[in-house]
Structure formats: structure tokens, C-alpha cells
């Protein structure tokens, strides 16, 4: 099975390495071609344009940094659209909004190709370990054909129906995550100000019915007021905004998520947008008098 | 080691059975003496008053239903105070507020006895399995002496310092839990109204960094709008109110917990106070009554 | 001074009547020409297309129902753009978003014309009484020339700088209004449930430093649970959403407005979007339907 | 009509001066007797204890600084209780909680006296101008007898039923006021950050249906970030806490007031409790990076 792969950033490289190691033939392209070197050493082929990859491979996966890049490799000169055709499948694993996905989907389908949006849950480490969770939506036949690939890339894949549902599912999960992060932050501060040891609170939480890997991972760093950016706060806040907008469209009142969103906005106003989203903790920690 | 035990409700019975099975000699008392039968069969002794238990045993544990009962066994006629004295320890595992704990503590210490508040995290099943988490505070020497007991009763015990800290720690944990329950509820509704399958959201959550036993346990029942009371909503809301009051005393702003608390109050106003606290989900299910 | 006037809905008719009565020569156009009859009787001229009005008049005012209508009279066949030119001014008093205003502004300026957005605060009664408040933004020279007109139409006009600022100012005012409506609603319910007479609360409020016409106007109807639509709830909620989005762009955290917005969304989910925005009161009146 | 008057702070002095000027005979007492000098000059009599005032006068009014002082003049040696008896009326205009009022009421009634709680809305200036609003509750016959006095002291008085209702009504009004203050603050910041002039927003608000004296009075100072304490923020936050607690008792969900309360708590955590309650504005103004 010959797989094309567009985009060799942190995530794309980890995924394509896993595919090569599992015996897939992989043809890669990256905007900066020099980044393809390591993949070449591992046995990949390289093409100079997205169009050339599509021409060569029955299935092509893209993993790009943002909606602009995702649109560019499809619609620009030498892009995906120039070679996509009936019998070929295009799978976009980038995290983009539902509108961008729909635009790409329509263009691919109009040329006779098949399309799947397949954003993932999980970052660098799970990508390297083949432990991603894949939220796929679009042409179901293509999803079925891609299962062997998804099995290598992730621990679990879901088929969610029409294009856009993958993006929506990620928003819902991230919204819950954002509210939980605020719940943890408020609890840590309340413990501290009430004469309890925040570290002990983390130990107690870790034994409770609400124990979860995020609290365990982020909690100790928050106590240290240390926020190295794994998932930047401005992206978390953007996802909460989009989730609230999705709720607005559907007349869903979500007061807790709304309160959490305002805390993230507060953090942005404090200049913390590029730190990890756990830096929302600073909105409670920071306590300085006015001039 | 002879242990006295006051209160044979669901929790008290499970704990005292575990103590007997682990080889402790146990003397029990219960307001309704007939409930002592099963313990007798397992080898326990029975006394007719709290005072008699205290007189007989160096250490006495209480596990009572509420602050009124906790105060009653100590201060009423034939109560703990009549026999407590230097060299004896009294450990109250009931869930009570910090004021009640302090009142009991002062009275015991005034008589020369040692006191430990030791509320637990976990309900019937963990109690039976010896998997409780114990949040102890008070006389540290007594805590140290009780470690062999706590090792049988729970999977982990914490010594948290001065009396009141056990109650406070429980409030902080329950506050975080209450915010998380609302986050889950909002996510389930947003998924449903946006055309996603709520059950699939639960599957995705269970693979995410925020996976936790509570979501796994309560989520499916919430989708069914089924709320059998494990932890009654009115008690959860009371704990959030008390946690917010603790924050107020210490000038801690907690907007997410405050929003969650208002949702629980909304649920109470809908007459759902005696259902499980997951029934807060009904405030979003909106105009439709629960089944 | 010859004034063109496009749009004879409730607001447009009231304004153009006032202009005629104050001695301005007015040429009107309306999509449904039959609605021009009453204006003809009062001395207005009528033209059959927006382009014809623009051709005839140095200044033309538009008062249209929504962004679609506002764009249509400018960009469609026989529209404003066909005749606008250097020396002519176009003043759009419709309530539209900043993007719509900017699009119209750019097109007018590109043709050499002058443009002013001038949304108003106030509805039917103030329009008839010449008591509107005008929030103008765009070409300042045109604003200065329009002052005699604004003096007839309103009790006060403001020049707010660049195009878009008129729309923004309306959003900010409506956001404050939405939070205040929720504050009143919560207070009325709290009074009622605490054994106080809500009508007496209104009397007390009317004597306090926070006394305002809206409380006086809407309060008694809210007590009656009567919400005839003066300003529909779905429009109020849209304005709160847009105001919160404006805050999001500028990293402004607004927790009270966010909580109020969720209450309006709750009301929408209860099917109250077409009632007056005071129907947010029903979200607290809870399980009972409005009459 | 001979009126006794206990407490000559800012409010008490203003009220008793008005009574003297309107022809009432007034006998005053103050903890610091030297403060009675000015009243003597205006024709008042002075007594050395609360008990002596009660003995002399059929009706005695108290205006004290807080619940502690209100309880002290009644229950301490030489206090009100020593001389109150059938045929005498005691009217407490201090702002105290419902519990304090009830305690005083019960003690007075037990001695055969009549009691009225009568907290006021309005501060120094309205007190001097006889423009207070009086929220009276308790013995209705006493209220009727006091109408001539209330007509001098205030512009309007209300009889609200059973003791405690005066305190509750004040809480409800202050809760609405607290939410409105936050609404104004958020609007001012949103205007500023969006390129609008906050001062112009105030001008526009003053012409809108939500125009009110508080916005007009506090708005300009908030723009200057100037918060001289007329009503201290910590007292406003206490009133919001008590109003939310009243809602909790009655299962009233009040998400907007809860969000406003958290903002006031945030302000307290920033050390602003002794400034005017408009200093909640600083929670939005303050924007500083973490260490």
C-alpha cells in the first residue's frame, strides 16, 4: 500500500516514520524539502509538489499546521486538486475548522476524489508512540480502507459521519478540558489560601473518582507557576470561543464553559496567550494593588 | 489492638467488618442495637452506650450520618465525653463541617483525650473493599498510632494538620468534582445538539488526557437521563456553597465554581435535589422533565 | 435643503415625516411603492429607484431593516452606486454590523461620494417625537453638514470617528442593557421567593440611585410574565454575542456579560427568541411556561 | 412629639438635625458624648445612657454603625432593654442583617415594647436633604405612628411586613446595584479597548433607557481610576454574598449576580476592599504579566 504524505512538521514526521516502520511505502512532500532527509534515510520517496504525490499514490495524507496551509496545498499551483481524481483518496489530519474542511471536501469530491477529515487527539509523544486518537469524518468507504493506516498511527479511530464532525468533536473535548483546567486551578488556589498544601490536594485528587492524567501532568507545574507551552493558551481560548459559538448556533446555554472562557480571555489580556493553557492559573495567582 | 466503633450505617458496617477480618478486636455500638447482629456473628463485642465503648477501648472510631448525630454521641447522656480521658483516642470519620469538628475536638482535648477528624473520600463499594481515602487532621501522634487501622480501611491516608483541614480538603475536592460534572453535562448537550453522538463523545473522552472514572461511570446514565442518587444533588450543592464560602473568607475568586453552583441551585429549584448530583444535567435538557 | 430618503418602515416613515414637517424638501423611495402615499400627501416627492433618488438629491438617508436590505439598495441594479459621485453624501441610519458598514463605505468612497453610518438608539416613539440618539461615524465633513437634519430627527447626535464605531457603540450599550435586564430579573425573583413583594421592589428601585426608565417600563410586565416584543430576545442575544466577540478580539474578559449571554441563550433554547428580551425572566421563573 | 435618638454618626446627626428643624423635640445620646454639642446648640436635650433616653421618650430611633453597636445599645448595661416597656416604641434605622434585627425585635417585644426595623437607602447627602428611602418592617401600628417622622427624614417610606424584610429588601437592591456596576465597568473597558471613547459612552448611556444616577455619578471617576469610598467595596461584596445566600436558601439561581460577586471577590483579593465598590473596575483595568 503506497501512501503519500504532505507535511513533515513535528506531528507529520512522527506519523510518517511510524508508517515506514510498519512496512508501508511512503512518498513524502514538505514545503521545505530539506526536512525530508531523515525520511529518505528511513526509505521514503520524495516528490517536489503535492500534485506529484497525489499523482503517484492512491491515498495521500496531509498533516499541516493550520487552515491556511491546509488550503494552500490543495488549491495553489501544483496542489492536490491538479491531480486528484476518481479512485484516489485524500485524508486531511490537520486541525482545522469545519468551514475549511468543507471547502476542501467539496473541491476534492467535485474532481471525483474521496475525502476524509481526520484530526487527531494527542500531541508529539502519542504521535511518536502510535497512540493518537483519530476523529474521522467524510467518505465512509475511504475510512474503511484507511483502517490499517489508522491502526498504525493511533490507538483508536472513530468514524463520525459527515465532514465537519471531526472538527466539532475536537471542539467539544477541548471545551470540557478548558473547564476542567479552571476547576483544577480554582481548587489549587482555594487549597493554598485555606491553609492546605496544594501538592497534597493533587495527591488526594489522584486517588479520587475524578483522577485524570491532565491533573497529574499539569498540576505540579501549576503549583510552580511554570507553564511551558504544550498547548498554547490562545489556541485553547480560540477552541472555547468556537465551542461556545457552536452552542450559540444550536441555542445551547453553557454557563460553566462561558465562565472558563472569560478566565482564558483574562489570561490573554495579561499577555499569557503563548504560554501553556494551564497559565490560566495566573488569573487567580496574580494579585497586585492598583496604582 | 482493641478498637471501639460507633455507628453501623452502610459505611460504618463495611469498615468494621474489614477491621474484624483483619484481626482487630472490635467493640461496636449503634443507636439501633439490632443492627449489631451481623457484627456479633463475625466476632465483635457489643456495648449499649457510646460511653461504655470509650471506657472499654483505648481507640474509638465513629462513622455517623451527619453533624447532628456526630455531636449527639459525644455530648449527650451516656456519650463519649463521659468516659474520654488521657491516654484514649477518638477518631471521627463522619463527614461534618469544620465547626462541628472543632467543637468535638475542643471538648475531647479538654478532657485530656486525643482527637482526629478523618472524613473519607469514597462511598459504599470502596468502603467494602478497603479502598477509601482518609483525610485525617488533629493530633498527629494519634494519626501515627492509627496507621495500621487506616491501612486496613483505605488505600491511602493523609495527615493534613490542624482540625478542620480534613473537612476543608473534602470541600475542595467536591468543588472540583462539581465543576467537572457541569463541564461533562455541557459537553454532552453540545455534542447532541450539534449532530454528534453523545455516546461517542464518552468514548473519545475515555481515551483523552482528561479521562476519569466519574465521566465513565456517570456519563452513560446521564445520556439516559437516569440519576439514581449515589451522591444527592442537594449535598453536592451544599458542598459547593461551603467551598465558595471558604473562598469568600479568603478572598479567592472562583468564577467557574460559582457558575457551576448556580447550575446546581437551578437544579434544586427544579425539584431535583434528592436525585444524584449528575441530575444537574437536567438544567440543560431544559424544558423536558426527567423520567 | 433637498433630502433623499430610502426605506419607509416604521422608523423611516417617522423620521421622514419629521423632516417634512420641519420644512425640508424630501424625496422618498420604498421597495413597496404604495407605502409612499402618506408621505406624498405630506408634500414629499417619490422616485422609483434608489439610483433616481441619489441622482436628484445632494444628501440621501437610508433606514433599512437589516444588513441584506442595506447592501441591496446600494449594490443591486438601480442602486445607490449607479449615481453616487463626488459632492454627494450617503447616510445609512440602519442598524447593521461593522462589516456591512465598511463594505458600503468603501464602495461609496471609491465612487467619490461621502459616507456616514448613523445607527440610532431609540425605537418607534422616540423616532416620532424626534428624540432619537444618533451614533454617527465616517466622513466628518458630511456629519457637520447633516447636523441640521440630526437636530430634527434626534435629541442628540455623536460623531464617533471611523466607520464601524457607530455599530460598536450600539453593541456596548446593548451589552450593558442585557446585563442590567438580567440583574433586574434576578432581583425580582429573589424578592418574590424571599417573601417580598416584587412590585414594592420596583417602587424602591425607582427611588434609588440605580433608577432608570427601562426598569420602570419593563418591570411591571415582567411581574405579569408578559413580554410583548419591543426588542426581540433573539436580537438582544445576537448583540451580546457580537459584543462578547468584540471583547474577544481585544482580549477583554467580561464575566458578567458572559453569564447574561448564557441566560439569553437559555431563553432561546426555551423557544422565547421572538418575545421581548425581558422574557429572559422566564429562565428564572423556571419550570412554568409563560402565558 | 418627643423623639429619642441614639447614635450621632454622619447619618444620625443629619437625621436628628432635620427632626429638630421640623419642630420635633429631640433627646439625643451618643457613645462619645462630646459629639452631642452641635445638637445641643440646635435645641436638643442630651441624656447619658440609652436607658435614660428610652425612659424619657415614647419613641426612640437608633442609627448605629453596625450590628455589634446595634446589639450593644440594646443589650448592654444601661441599654434600651432596661427601660423599654408597653407603650414605648423603638425604631432601629441601622443597616444590620435579618438575624440581628430579629434578636432585637424579640427582646423588645418580650418587654412589651414595639419594634420597627427601618434601614434606609441613601447616604450622607440624601440624609441631610431629608431624601432618604425608608424600608420599614415590624409592628405596623408603630409604623403608622412614625409616618410624620419618616416624612421629615425621607422622601418615601415603605412598610414591608415582618421584621427581616427591611434588611432583605436592602440586600436585593444592593445585589442589583452590584451587577449593574459590573455591567458598566465591562462596558467602559470594552469601549476603550475597541477604540471608542469611554466618556462618550457615558454620554450615550445618559440618553438611553438605562440612564441612571449611579452611572452618571460613578462613571467619570471610574474612567479616572479614582475610587474614593462612598460605599466600601467590602461592604458591597458582603451584601452580594448575603443576597446569594438568601437565594441559596430559597433555591434561586442567579448566575449574573454570582459572576458579579466573583468580580468583587477578585477586587478584594487585589487589596481594594476599602475603596469604593466602583473599584471592581480595577479587576478589568489591571493587566500585568506574570513573573
Amino acid at each position: 500500500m503506497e501512501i503519500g504524505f504532505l507535511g513533515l512538521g513535528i506531528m507529520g514526521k512522527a506519523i510518517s516514520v511510524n508508517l515506514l516502520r510498519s512496512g508501508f511505502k511512503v512518498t513524502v512532500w514538505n514545503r521545505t524539502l530539506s526536512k525530508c532527509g531523515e525520511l529518505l534515510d528511513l526509505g521514503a520517496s520524495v516528490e517536489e509538489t503535492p500534485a506529484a504525490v497525489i499523482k503517484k499514490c492512491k491515498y495521500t495524507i496531509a498533516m499541516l499546521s493550520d487552515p491556511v496551509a491546509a488550503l494552500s496545498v490543495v488549491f495553489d499551483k501544483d496542489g492536490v486538486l491538479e491531480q486528484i481524481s476518481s479512485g484516489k483518496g485524500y485524508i486531511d489530519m490537520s486541525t482545522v475548522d469545519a468551514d475549511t474542511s468543507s471547502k476542501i471536501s467539496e473541491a476534492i469530491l467535485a474532481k471525483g476524489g474521496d475525502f476524509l477529515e481526520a484530526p487527531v487527539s494527542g500531541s508529539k509523544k502519542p504521535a511518536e508512540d502510535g497512540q493518537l486518537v483519530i476523529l474521522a469524518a467524510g467518505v465512509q468507504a475511504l475510512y474503511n480502507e484507511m483502517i490499517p493506516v489508522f491502526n498504525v498511527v493511533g490507538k483508536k479511530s472513530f468514524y463520525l459521519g459527515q465532514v465537519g464532525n471531526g472538527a466539532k468533536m475536537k471542539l467539544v473535548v477541548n471545551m470540557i478540558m478548558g473547564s476542567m483546567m479552571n476547576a483544577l486551578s480554582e481548587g489549587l488556589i482555594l487549597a493554598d489560601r485555606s491553609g492546605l498544601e496544594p501538592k497534597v490536594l493533587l495527591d488526594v485528587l489522584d486517588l479520587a473518582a475524578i483522577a485524570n492524567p491532565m491533573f497529574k501532568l499539569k498540576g505540579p507545574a501549576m503549583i510552580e507557576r511554570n507553564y511551558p507551552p504544550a498547548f498554547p493558551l490562545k489556541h485553547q481560548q480560540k477552541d472555547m470561543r468556537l465551542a461556545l459559538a457552536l452552542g450559540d448556533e444550536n441555542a445551547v446555554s453553557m454557563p460553566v464553559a462561558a465562565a472558563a472562557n472569560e478566565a482564558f480571555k483574562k489570561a490573554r489580556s495579561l499577555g499569557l496567550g503563548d504560554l501553556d493553557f494551564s497559565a490560566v492559573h495566573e488569573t487567580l495567582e496574580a494579585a497586585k494593588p492598583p496604582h
Side-chain angles (χ1 to χ4, degrees), chain A:
Chain A
M1 197 169 176
E2 173 99 36
I3 303 288
F5 206 98
L6 310 180
L8 296 175
I10 290 169
M11 297 294 285
K13 196 175 122 186
I15 294 170
S16 50
V17 165
N18 277 338
L19 289 173
L20 282 165
R21 286 190 177 143
S22 298
F24 288 95
K25 293 176 69 176
V26 182
T27 298
V28 302
W29 168 87
N30 194 60
R31 191 164 299 273
T32 312
L33 279 177
S34 59
K35 285 203 180 167
C36 299
E38 190 179 335
L39 275 294
L40 260 178
D41 296 346
L42 289 168
S45 308
V46 176
E47 290 289 344
E48 293 197 4
T49 64
V53 175
I54 298 285
K55 185 177 180 186
K56 187 176 174 194
C57 305
K58 183 170 167 60
Y59 303 109
T60 299
I61 296 171
M63 179 52 108
L64 301 152
S65 58
D66 58 29
V68 172
L71 290 166
S72 167
V73 301
V74 172
F75 291 96
D76 284 2
K77 188 172 173 327
D78 297 324
V80 168
L81 278 193
E82 294 185 4
Q83 291 294 336
I84 198 82
S85 62
S86 177
K88 286 184 182 286
Y90 183 64
I91 303 97
D92 192 346
M93 303 186 81
S94 318
T95 292
V96 299
D97 55 288
D99 276 359
T100 298
S101 254
S102 296
K103 218 174 277 179
I104 294 173
S105 176
E106 282 164 28
I108 301 282
L109 298 185
K111 291 276 188 173
D114 288 336
F115 177 74
L116 212 56
E117 72 171 344
V120 298
S121 172
S123 53
K124 191 187 176 187
K125 189 68 169 43
E128 290 172 347
D129 298 346
Q131 293 292 306
L132 295 168
V133 175
I134 297 141
L135 306 172
V139 176
Q140 188 156 14
L142 178 55
Y143 172 76
N144 292 336
E145 289 156 28
M146 292 306 291
I147 287 178
V149 168
F150 290 157
N151 284 346
V152 164
V153 165
K155 61 182 168 186
K156 177 84 179 172
S157 69
F158 293 90
Y159 177 72
L160 300 170
Q162 65 187 23
V163 166
N165 283 357
K168 285 179 190 173
M169 185 61 87
K170 260 206 91 165
L171 284 184
V172 176
V173 171
N174 282 2
M175 180 186 82
I176 295 172
M177 183 170 75
S179 292
M180 281 175 62
M181 175 53 78
N182 275 275
L184 174 61
S185 172
E186 292 181 358
L188 287 171
I189 297 283
L190 179 58
D192 182 61
R193 300 295 192 270
S194 308
L196 301 171
E197 190 57 58
K199 283 180 191 176
V200 177
L201 170 60
L202 292 179
D203 290 340
V204 174
L205 286 172
D206 201 41
L207 294 161
I210 53 176
N212 65 86
M214 182 179 80
F215 283 9
K216 198 163 186 170
L217 179 68
K218 304 281 186 185
M222 289 162 75
I223 291 172
E224 304 293 326
R225 303 180 69 170
N226 189 19
Y227 316 105
F231 182 39
L233 189 141
K234 64 186 176 192
H235 293 168
Q236 169 67 57
Q237 196 263 316
K238 184 196 66 185
D239 282 359
M240 294 216 77
R241 174 173 67 233
L242 293 173
L244 284 162
L246 187 61
D248 202 305
E249 278 172 40
N250 297 287
V252 180
S253 177
M254 302 187 291
V256 167
N261 184 41
E262 295 308 311
F264 283 118
K265 280 163 66 181
K266 181 77 183 170
R268 270 180 57 213
S269 80
L270 293 168
L272 310 174
D274 292 320
L275 296 183
D276 190 63
F277 76 113
S278 51
V280 72
H281 195 49
E282 286 298 313
T283 61
L284 298 181
E285 279 288 6
K288 293 162 205 159
H291 68 237

